[in-house]
């Protein structure tokens, strides 16, 4: 895949108009902060926790794109699924701002690349390429965006 295609895909699914429905940020910007800590019955994952999880993996991606060999996330730990409780609208907006910052940083890194072969470079500390990592994060965001949509629809019905 070309860097330009990756930029277009990342932008579309994050804040554009993907064919599958609402982009991640459109969905998140519609959510009232007062419900982001609620969960499905028998689940630990609130909207806030899912967003923090998305953010964690985006930070991992940025670290790897910037050449950080040491940064890592161990699956199914607090680094992966960080406990979080949002108490104010400002805290919710800050979390969304952090997420948006990772998008800006991703696009900035990609736009600086002069050759598509950058995407073929190995992800430091992993057995896959940077292109595979970025595509994986876009897919990861999309997967969890669906979960957020389901949880929010459930919570709206409960009130």
């Amino acid at each position: 895949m070309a860097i330009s295609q990756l930029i277009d895909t990342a932008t579309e699914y994050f804040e554009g108009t993907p064919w599958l429905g609402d982009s991640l940020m459109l969905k998140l910007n519609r959510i009232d902060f007062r419900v982001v800590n609620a969960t499905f019955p028998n689940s630990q994952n609130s909207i806030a926790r899912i967003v923090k999880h998305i953010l964690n993996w985006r930070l991992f991606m940025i670290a790897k794109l910037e050449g950080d060999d040491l940064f890592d996330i161990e699956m199914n730990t607090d680094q992966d699924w960080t406990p979080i409780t949002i108490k104010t609208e400002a805290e919710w907006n800050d979390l969304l701002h952090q997420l948006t910052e990772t998008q800006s940083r991703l696009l900035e890194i990609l736009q600086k690349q002069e050759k598509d072969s950058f995407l073929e470079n190995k992800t430091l500390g992993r057995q896959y390429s940077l292109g595979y990592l970025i595509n994986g994060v876009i897919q990861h965001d999309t997967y969890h965006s669906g979960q957020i949509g389901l949880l929010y629809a459930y919570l709206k019905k409960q009130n």
Side-chain angles (χ1 to χ4, degrees), residues 1-4 6-7 109-121 130-131 134:
M1 176 177 277
I3 288 176
S4 62
L6 204 48
I7 290 170
I109 291 167
L110 292 176
Q111 289 165 348
K112 285 182 181 177
Q113 303 310 313
E114 295 181 10
K115 296 186 178 185
D116 291 337
S117 60
F118 168 78
L119 298 173
E120 297 169 15
N121 292 336
L130 293 175
I134 297 165

Side-chain angles (χ1 to χ4, degrees), residues 25 28-29 31-37 46-49 51-52 55 83-100:
M25 289 311 298
L28 292 175
N29 284 323
I31 295 175
D32 185 321
F33 83 95
R34 291 172 285 217
V35 301
V36 300
N37 299 311
S46 64
I47 291 170
R49 192 166 189 226
V51 171
K52 181 64 174 162
L55 177 62
I84 184 171
T85 302
I86 299 295
K87 296 178 185 137
T88 66
E89 187 171 14
E91 288 178 356
W92 175 241
N93 290 335
D94 181 58
L95 184 63
L96 297 183
H97 177 74
Q98 290 176 53
L99 193 61
T100 301

Side-chain angles (χ1 to χ4, degrees), residues 57 60-62 64-65 123 128-138:
W57 284 102
F60 172 85
M61 172 186 63
I62 298 299
K64 296 306 175 184
L65 289 171
T123 300
Y128 46 79
S129 70
L130 293 175
Y132 184 85
L133 170 64
I134 297 165
N135 271 311
V137 168
I138 293 168

Side-chain angles (χ1 to χ4, degrees), residues 22-78:
D22 294 337
S23 64
L24 177 61
M25 289 311 298
L26 180 61
K27 194 173 289 181
L28 292 175
N29 284 323
R30 289 181 178 159
I31 295 175
D32 185 321
F33 83 95
R34 291 172 285 217
V35 301
V36 300
N37 299 311
T39 64
F40 283 122
N42 302 316
S43 174
Q44 295 179 341
N45 292 339
S46 64
I47 291 170
R49 192 166 189 226
I50 295 169
V51 171
K52 181 64 174 162
H53 170 74
I54 291 170
L55 177 62
N56 290 344
W57 284 102
R58 284 176 149 267
L59 291 171
F60 172 85
M61 172 186 63
I62 298 299
K64 296 306 175 184
L65 289 171
E66 292 178 337
D68 188 336
D69 190 26
L70 299 177
F71 186 81
D72 202 5
I73 295 177
E74 185 178 336
M75 299 281 286
N76 300 314
T77 66
D78 286 353

